[in-house]
Amino acid sequence: MSLLGTKEIMEIIPHRQPMLLIDTIEELEEGRRAVGKKCVSYNEPFFAGHFPGEPVMPGVLIIEALAQVGAVAILSQPDFKGKTAYFGGINNAKFRKKVVPGDVLTLELEIIKQKGPIGVGKAVATVDGELAAKAELTFAIG
């Protein structure tokens, strides 16, 4: 059972389809950590061109999904209600496994540093417990 579904997620972050890349939030520690899920469907619009005959979720969209989970964690704090979390940087991104239709992507982001409206999160994406991607994401609240 999920903690937050699409409707509740959209009350926290401003993303909408087709750019909302998380389906549920399974765990949430406001301002500290969140775990989300993305059920990757063959019907995702990006699969039409990435790649015909061999659909693979673009790495940049995996990173965006991780950032959205982090945005839920940070924007769930009362001080940031109604704000937007913007990318400030992506460091040490690594991709280890292709993400394909039928995969359930588990997305975890832990805030490891924050000073005012600027912070850094450690992000990890897995499929069936196997590392798909990881990165350090910097955000700015505006």
Side-chain angles (χ1 to χ4, degrees):
M1 185 171 126
S2 65
L3 183 61
L4 302 175
T6 303
K7 182 180 176 190
E8 294 87 5
I9 292 168
M10 291 189 312
E11 291 173 2
I12 299 170
I13 63 174
H15 301 75
R16 300 295 181 265
Q17 296 297 339
M19 278 307 296
L20 181 61
L21 297 174
I22 51 177
D23 297 323
T24 63
I25 295 295
E26 305 293 318
E27 299 174 35
L28 177 61
E29 295 175 45
E30 293 181 1
R32 297 182 38 105
R33 177 180 172 275
V35 177
K37 298 271 186 184
K38 167 68 177 166
C39 296
V40 182
S41 163
Y42 189 78
N43 295 324
E44 306 288 346
F46 49 81
F47 284 139
H50 199 270
F51 301 98
E54 186 188 351
V56 176
M57 185 172 183
V60 68
L61 294 182
I62 297 169
I63 296 295
E64 173 64 24
L66 285 163
Q68 289 179 18
V69 168
V72 170
I74 202 72
L75 297 176
S76 63
Q77 296 177 98
D79 290 351
F80 294 133
K81 184 176 176 142
K83 304 270 185 178
T84 300
Y86 297 99
F87 259 127
I90 303 168
N91 291 314
N92 302 316
K94 306 278 186 212
F95 302 93
R96 300 289 188 230
K97 176 181 180 15
K98 289 193 293 187
V99 176
V100 299
D103 284 346
V104 176
L105 197 54
T106 300
L107 306 150
E108 182 174 354
L109 189 129
E110 179 182 359
I111 307 298
I112 57 174
K113 186 176 5 175
Q114 185 178 355
K115 185 169 184 176
I118 307 296
V120 177
K122 176 184 170 189
V124 176
T126 59
V127 174
D128 294 327
E130 190 177 338
L131 181 65
K134 65 180 182 173
E136 189 174 273
L137 307 178
T138 302
F139 62 86
I141 305 300

